[in-house]
Amino acid sequence: MYKLYISGIVAILLLSIISCKKDIGNYAYHDVNQIKIAKIDTVVASLGGVLKINPVVSFTQDTSGDGSRYRYEWAYYSISGSSTPTVLDTTKNLNKAFSLPPATYSCYYKVTDKHTGIMSYVTFGLIIQATPYREGWMLMTSVNGSARLDMLYKQSDGTFGVVNNLLDSVHSDLHLAGKPKLVYCYQAYPQTVTTPVYGIPFGYEIYVGTDQSTERVNPETYGWNPVYSAKNEIFGSSVPSDLYLLGVKRAFSGTSNAISISNNMDVRYFDYTGQIRFGEIMNFDTAAGAKKRYSVAPITGFAEGTGSNGFLFYDTDNRRFVEGKLGSTASSVLVPLKDVATVANRLFSYTNTGMDMIYMGYGAVATPTAKYINIVLKNPTTPTYYYAVIDALNYATTQKVYKDITSIATDIDKASCFAASIVNGAFYYAAGSKVYQITWTGGSAGVSGTPAVKLVVDKSGTGEVITNLMVHQYANSLKYTDKYLMVCSYDPAKPEGANGKIECFSEPALITGSLTLATTYSGFGRVVSMDYRER
């Protein structure tokens, strides 16, 4: 019985083997379509650029060239150490704008066969370098009447290159709309601050403004998102929906004090150190315990680049000067400036000028050191213009000049922009294609004697029109030592958007000397506003 049982098992096994052997011939076997991807070397790209990678991909069994059969994925791992990849694109070839911050990233490229589910991938490194547009002149320009941000960026050899439409060049999400108004840069709070402050996690502020909105951008990438709106800086008050800024000004080097003036002609104050953020407006009277708002002119005067006793503003409703104190003496309201107490030293009234404000701004004499606020006023009913100069540090007690310049200031009624020297005390204004200088005769060094006017730049033969004048006061005046008079113009006969020009003139140490053209830049839009992005 036992032998019969064993024999039966052997017989069954033999039958099974024979059956399997016969069954082999019943199927057709094929090689699997394998995906092969050539090595991708480390890719180096500039911040805000476009990533272009054309990988070499081959297939062992597919020669159809049908790309729809495959699924593609480009992805990277964030520098925070996350194990979850972020997908860059899902195309075979990568050709995509990006805004990754400067760093080294681990990336992969993956190809999957949809028919079989077989996948292959390669890894590679991605190094994002800082944008070449790290430092230089930010130019808010007009191109066919619309705002465009251009830049004169400092190159590695110290020269400056031109990039038109900076925001588009770095693929920023900010797209300007409206007419150009301002660009302004300053260190608002310490660089060590890394957590969001007032809607933007950067200590260095770059304001970009039109007549529709004022925005701030990432100071390294020029990237943007809606929380960067300047409206998000304003705390504790109802922000008008149509608000934009006409001006932003830091107080002086080494501080975080700043003021802003909006299109509603309202003033707000900021002080990071004092934990005061832009908030309620400051331009109102509090007589009889009630708030009465007044409008201010969109300009301010103060001692830039050094300690200052406050910002000076002009109340256009009551035609008087008002001031805002800084730091520990700061108040929540602008204070009317009292007249100079000593009648003999009083050249004009602060409390009731009876005049319209045309211009107010800072100027200086380097040797001997003196700091001034230059003022141009106009009689509201007659074409009469007055030029005033007051001591920027002691304006409550010291008025230097108050003169009717109507008869000597050629084209003053046509003046479109102004600037003041920080070298020799000269004052400039531009009308059409000409720049005039208010100078001094018969006095000692600085602003004294009798004012006189002379033509210092004449572009009337070129057809060029002057759009802006500037003498820039750097925050870091030890690093940046140039003190040019910068004359911005455009040529209507040249292509729009590339017909702008900036001519930089060196000023003489003595006001009696002549301007010397130092350098010229061109190839951008018409400059409406400009400021320097320092490093």
Side-chain angles (χ1 to χ4, degrees), residues 206-218:
I206 299 178
Y207 291 83
V208 180
T210 72
D211 65 354
Q212 294 188 19
S213 70
T214 304
E215 308 295 333
R216 296 167 297 166
V217 294
N218 184 313

Side-chain angles (χ1 to χ4, degrees), residues 285 312-323 335-341 346-355 377 395-396 399:
D285 287 323
L312 205 57
F313 300 93
Y314 192 73
D315 172 358
T316 58
D317 293 340
N318 301 293
R319 293 194 171 102
R320 61 178 179 173
F321 288 87
V322 292
E323 66 175 332
V335 179
L337 188 61
K338 295 179 180 180
D339 283 334
V340 174
R346 187 190 308 159
L347 303 181
F348 64 99
S349 172
Y350 286 137
T351 58
N352 183 13
T353 69
M355 302 289 174
L377 297 168
Y395 49 72
Q399 295 178 335

Side-chain angles (χ1 to χ4, degrees), residues 420-474:
S421 171
I422 56 175
V423 175
N424 57 33
F427 181 70
Y428 304 95
Y429 65 91
S433 300
K434 299 177 180 180
V435 178
Y436 298 93
Q437 179 196 71
I438 295 182
T439 184
W440 303 94
T441 60
S444 58
V447 177
S448 63
T450 303
V453 175
K454 65 178 181 179
L455 179 64
V456 291
V457 177
D458 188 357
K459 304 170 73 65
S460 55
T462 67
E464 297 172 2
V465 180
I466 296 169
T467 60
N468 196 23
L469 295 178
M470 185 180 199
V471 177
H472 188 63
Q473 178 72 48
Y474 293 97

Side-chain angles (χ1 to χ4, degrees), residues 194-275:
T194 56
T195 55
V197 178
Y198 313 150
I200 185 169
F202 311 109
Y204 196 89
E205 301 267 29
I206 299 178
Y207 291 83
V208 180
T210 72
D211 65 354
Q212 294 188 19
S213 70
T214 304
E215 308 295 333
R216 296 167 297 166
V217 294
N218 184 313
E220 303 300 332
T221 68
Y222 306 108
W224 175 86
N225 70 53
V227 301
Y228 294 177
S229 169
K231 294 178 183 178
N232 289 334
E233 281 190 302
I234 300 174
F235 173 77
S237 63
S238 177
V239 181
S241 59
D242 63 346
L243 181 140
Y244 61 87
L245 300 183
L246 297 174
V248 181
K249 276 283 190 180
R250 66 178 175 86
F252 51 90
S253 307
T255 76
S256 58
N257 307 101
I259 59 94
S260 69
I261 304 177
S262 70
N263 59 310
N264 308 105
M265 305 306 172
D266 291 327
V267 177
R268 293 176 172 86
Y269 175 66
F270 168 82
D271 180 3
Y272 175 79
T273 304
Q275 299 184 1

Side-chain angles (χ1 to χ4, degrees), residues 11-27:
I12 292 171
L13 290 173
L14 288 173
L15 287 172
S16 297
I17 292 170
I18 293 170
S19 298
C20 289
K21 185 175 181 181
K22 290 180 180 180
D23 196 42
I24 290 174
N26 294 339
Y27 296 94

Side-chain angles (χ1 to χ4, degrees), residues 59-208:
F59 310 98
T60 59
Q61 298 298 318
D62 179 16
T63 59
S64 66
D66 181 13
S68 64
R69 173 176 170 171
Y70 302 94
R71 185 165 51 250
Y72 307 96
E73 182 175 292
W74 299 88
Y76 70 92
Y77 291 91
S78 70
I79 55 178
S80 64
S82 172
S83 59
T84 303
T86 299
V87 176
L88 271 174
D89 210 348
T90 56
T91 57
K92 178 183 177 182
N93 299 321
L94 184 62
N95 186 358
K96 188 177 180 67
F98 67 97
S99 57
L100 297 175
T104 299
Y105 297 86
S106 295
C107 307
Y108 68 77
Y109 171 57
K110 182 171 66 175
V111 181
T112 304
D113 189 333
K114 297 177 184 178
H115 291 182
T116 65
I118 290 177
M119 175 270 292
S120 181
Y121 71 94
V122 293
T123 60
F124 62 96
L126 172 62
I127 300 173
I128 304 298
Q129 296 179 331
T131 175
Y133 315 130
R134 299 184 68 251
E135 177 185 342
W137 289 102
M138 311 294 292
L139 310 176
M140 177 54 71
T141 70
S142 175
V143 179
N144 291 317
S146 297
R148 189 180 78 185
L149 185 64
D150 295 345
M151 187 176 185
L152 277 172
Y153 66 97
K154 191 172 185 178
Q155 302 176 111
S156 58
D157 62 358
T159 61
F160 287 84
V162 176
V163 56
N164 288 331
N165 204 337
L166 173 66
L167 298 175
D168 279 4
S169 296
V170 299
H171 307 284
S172 174
D173 289 327
L174 177 59
H175 304 286
L176 300 179
K179 298 182 183 300
K181 285 297 179 182
L182 70 84
V183 60
Y184 192 73
C185 312
Y186 83 108
Q187 190 72 45
Y189 39 89
Q191 298 181 20
T192 54
V193 174
T194 56
T195 55
V197 178
Y198 313 150
I200 185 169
F202 311 109
Y204 196 89
E205 301 267 29
I206 299 178
Y207 291 83
V208 180

